[in-house]
Amino acid sequence: MTKILLVGCGKMGSAMLVGWLQRGIRAADVVVVDPHAQALPAGITVIGDADLIPKSFAPDITILAVKPQVMAGVLPAYARLAGQTTFLSIAAGKPVAFFRQHLGEAAAIIRAMPNTPAAVQRGITVCFAGGGTDAAGQALAQSLLEAVGEVAWIDDETQMDAVTALSGSGPAYVFLLAEVMAAAGVAAGLPADLADRLARATVAGGGELLRQSADSSAQLRINVTSPGGTTAAALAVLMAESGGMAPLMEQAVAAATRRGKELAG
């Protein structure tokens, strides 16, 4: 009978909502605040702003799923719930101190960073519990986030920018890999549709093998690399100390981490 207030129902909010309903949360126990929400499951109460929250509705948890750029303008309307609900934010870059500034010191706040594979229940979310969040609130957040994938917790909030850079932004890196693999296939002489199909299936299949295997990613790479073979020839380029994937990825994650820190301002 958990009562959930979902503020913002874009792609991530919608993915979580579907996961909750599949896990047995009743539609009648969810209120969505989003003036632009469309085609939500039957039974969900949808309202345009916080003033329309039914007076009889007391949320156990309030999920803040709006864009970080508009969060400051959204939060004041929910300050009245501080002390009555656990706030769970999935906004990139916004620290616990930011939410305390707008919701008050009494607010129980959990900061979380999910990623887009949540849409297919294959996401991973990393959480940080701010002071004032009790074990029950953390357990509830864990349960709801597990509906869309794995959950991990950190004790040091400063690590959240690196988490965002690695797993939050990470799906885009994987999609880019499939994109450039397909383009390379076309450059090597394959039809575009076949190159795209091969790249998608290879990235998706490789990811599933990685998920199911007890071997490390390094060992799986070694397993598919015959000495002197075609894979070894390709990896000699991709693993070059200068211009290879490792230094490029390090630079990319560092750039995303810096941007996350900027968003905190």
Side-chain angles (χ1 to χ4, degrees):
M1 303 292 284
T2 298
K3 304 290 186 182
I4 302 170
L5 180 62
L6 176 59
V7 182
C9 198
K11 291 182 179 179
M12 189 59 66
S14 297
M16 291 191 296
L17 180 57
V18 169
W20 300 336
L21 297 177
Q22 290 176 346
R23 283 237 172 162
I25 295 291
R26 300 190 314 164
D29 291 331
V30 180
V31 170
V32 172
V33 185
D34 190 331
H36 307 294
Q38 298 180 2
L40 295 184
I44 300 290
T45 298
V46 184
I47 55 178
D49 62 64
D51 292 337
L52 300 175
I53 297 172
K55 296 187 182 301
S56 61
F57 187 78
D60 298 293
I61 191 164
T62 299
I63 315 292
L64 302 169
V66 300
K67 294 184 182 301
Q69 294 88 341
V70 303
M71 187 67 79
V74 169
L75 289 178
Y78 299 91
R80 61 186 174 85
L81 297 177
Q84 306 172 36
T85 186
T86 296
F87 290 97
L88 172 63
S89 165
I90 64 169
K94 296 303 183 185
V96 167
F98 168 86
F99 293 97
R100 293 215 184 284
Q101 177 184 350
H102 293 281
L103 296 171
E105 292 300 318
I109 302 161
I110 296 174
R111 182 181 173 189
M113 176 46 54
N115 60 10
T116 55
V120 291
Q121 287 78 54
R122 286 283 184 241
I124 185 164
T125 304
V126 177
C127 301
F128 171 78
T133 305
D134 60 18
Q138 293 181 46
L140 177 54
Q142 169 108 12
S143 176
L144 293 178
L145 292 169
E146 283 179 342
V148 293
E150 298 181 42
V151 179
W153 292 80
I154 56 175
D155 297 322
D156 181 356
E157 188 180 8
T158 64
Q159 295 176 346
M160 192 60 85
D161 292 317
V163 165
T164 302
L166 183 57
S167 63
S169 300
Y173 314 156
V174 176
F175 303 148
L176 176 61
L177 174 62
E179 181 183 349
V180 298
M181 283 177 63
V186 171
L190 293 176
D193 57 347
L194 177 59
D196 182 69
R197 180 182 176 187
L198 291 176
R200 281 173 171 261
T202 300
V203 170
E208 184 63 16
L209 177 59
L210 180 62
R211 187 183 75 86
Q212 293 191 27
S213 177
D215 290 337
S216 67
S217 54
Q219 186 58 54
L220 289 172
R221 170 180 55 78
I222 291 169
N223 292 348
V224 77
T225 307
S226 301
T230 59
T231 306
L235 290 178
V237 177
L238 294 174
M239 298 178 70
E241 291 186 10
S242 176
M245 285 187 71
L248 280 176
M249 186 59 70
E250 185 174 339
Q251 293 172 39
V253 170
T257 301
R258 286 194 300 271
R259 182 55 181 155
K261 294 181 186 300
E262 292 169 0
L263 287 172

